[in-house]
């Protein structure tokens, strides 16, 4: 159960009353964590962003049903995960269709604007880039529940109970998923991890 | 520190950076368990690697796009609501009137059909009665009555005061 003073839940209750500013504050706070989760599940930047936007749209549309029975973060990550799983199922049924086609009616939406956030110094860039690619690949190859558990585990706001609620399993099952996922990652990334390139400077 | 405590700190390391005190505890434990040393180092390196993974690329106008989607969705919801209202209006206002009109026309048509049926029946009845009278007349008039036909017909040419006497004379 969540604490009654969860600030995000309080914001969500304002959204329930139609407060757009509260909704904007929630989008600002959760856009990156949600996008990270979706991106690493779908592995396609454009579709991941479409789906992340749909997560927030879903949050807004479901606001009238929102009850403070769990942490807001648990709720939004559950929505994000469910939409990802739906998308994966949809892809397996219709492999050629893209989400862009489904949202063709949104043609009047502004085009996306990306800024380059990668700021490696030239000597580090090759090694760093390779390591990132390897770890992204290794993450992608993990089963969905292990990957999601590992990602949510890095979010300090979520307790194991919250992750268990998001993944609809027990806390011990969550720990087991994380353990197995990390063991697989360690096996795959061993040569890279031992270079020490990740050690904090 | 025992294995259980080591596991607890290892799990804590999955979620956050261990404090220097916690790391010292682990290092002290690993002196007695050198078989776990490399595994712990790999685990630590993996945590750092995951920590340093860059964020997924996110467009700078993400929030405004979401807000626009929300507005668009609200407009569509309003449109759907309006359609529903329009449909309800049709059901509540127009359909009863159309039904009343249809009922009136049906009643009129039914009345007209009934009238036609009744008048046809009446005509048929009249024709039947006339035929029956003709048959009765043909059957009952005796043939000798036709013998006085010419005398009676002549009476019509001029009516006089002594018509009865003339009739009697003619009949004699």
């Amino acid at each position: 159960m969540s604490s009654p003073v969860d600030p995000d839940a309080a914001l969500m209750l304002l959204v329930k009353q139609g407060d757009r500013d509260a909704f904007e504050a929630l989008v600002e706070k959760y856009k990156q964590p949600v996008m990270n989760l979706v991106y690493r599940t779908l592995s396609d930047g454009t579709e991941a962003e479409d789906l992340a936007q749909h997560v927030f749209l879903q949050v807004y549309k479901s606001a009238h049903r929102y009850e403070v029975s769990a942490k807001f973060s648990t709720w939004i990550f559950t929505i994000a995960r469910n939409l990802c799983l739906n998308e994966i199922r949809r892809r397996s049924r219709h492999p050629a269709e893209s989400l862009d086609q489904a949202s063709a009616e949104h043609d009047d939406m502004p085009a996306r604007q990306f800024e380059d956030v990668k700021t490696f110094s030239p000597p580090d860039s090759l090694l760093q880039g390779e390591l990132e690619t390897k770890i992204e690949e290794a993450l992608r190859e993990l089963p969905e529940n292990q990957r999601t558990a590992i990602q949510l585990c890095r979010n300090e706001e979520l307790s194991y109970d919250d992750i268990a609620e998001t993944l609809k399993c027990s806390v011990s099952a969550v720990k087991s998923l994380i353990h197995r996922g990390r063991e697989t990652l360690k096996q795959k990334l061993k040569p890279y991890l031992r270079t020490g390139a990740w050690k904090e400077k | 520190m025992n294995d259980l405590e080591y596991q607890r700190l290892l799990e804590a390391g999955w979620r956050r950076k261990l404090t220097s005190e916690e790391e010292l505890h682990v290092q002290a434990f690993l002196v007695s368990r050198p078989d776990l040393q490399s595994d712990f180092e790999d685990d630590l390196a993996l945590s750092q690697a995951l920590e340093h993974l860059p964020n997924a690329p996110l467009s700078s106008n993400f929030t405004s796009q979401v807000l626009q989607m929300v507005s668009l969705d609200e407009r569509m919801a309003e449109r759907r609501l309006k359609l529903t209202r329009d449909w309800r209006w049709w059901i509540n206002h127009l359909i009863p009137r159309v039904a009343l009109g249809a009922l009136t026309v049906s009643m009129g048509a039914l009345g007209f059909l009934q009238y036609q049926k009744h008048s046809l029946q009446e005509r048929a009845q009249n024709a039947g009665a006339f035929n029956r009278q003709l048959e009765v007349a043909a059957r009952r008039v005796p043939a000798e009555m036709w013998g006085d036909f010419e005398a009676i017909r002549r009476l019509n040419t001029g009516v006089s005061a002594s018509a009865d006497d003339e009739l009697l004379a003619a009949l004699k």
Side-chain angles (χ1 to χ4, degrees), chain A residues 20 49 53 110 113 154 158, chain B residues 15 51 59-60 65 74:
Chain A
R20 278 289 182 89
E49 190 164 315
Q53 287 173 355
Q113 299 160 2
R154 297 306 305 173
L158 292 176
Chain B
R15 300 179 50 78
E51 180 78 13
S59 58
S60 53
Q65 281 194 320
E74 279 182 338

Side-chain angles (χ1 to χ4, degrees), chain A residues 109-132:
Chain A
M109 301 284 283
R112 293 187 179 88
Q113 299 160 2
F114 291 97
E115 57 184 323
D116 189 4
V117 289
K118 292 188 177 181
T119 52
F120 302 132
S121 58
D124 294 337
S125 61
L126 277 177
L127 181 61
Q128 194 85 355
E130 190 186 342
L131 289 173
E132 275 176 23

Side-chain angles (χ1 to χ4, degrees), chain B residues 53-65:
Chain B
L53 261 186
N55 282 325
L58 190 69
S59 58
S60 53
N61 58 348
F62 182 92
T63 306
S64 68
Q65 281 194 320

Side-chain angles (χ1 to χ4, degrees), chain A residues 97-111:
Chain A
E97 288 174 24
S98 136
L99 260 184
D100 278 350
Q101 290 170 319
S103 58
E105 71 265 29
H106 302 304
D107 281 348
D108 53 341
M109 301 284 283

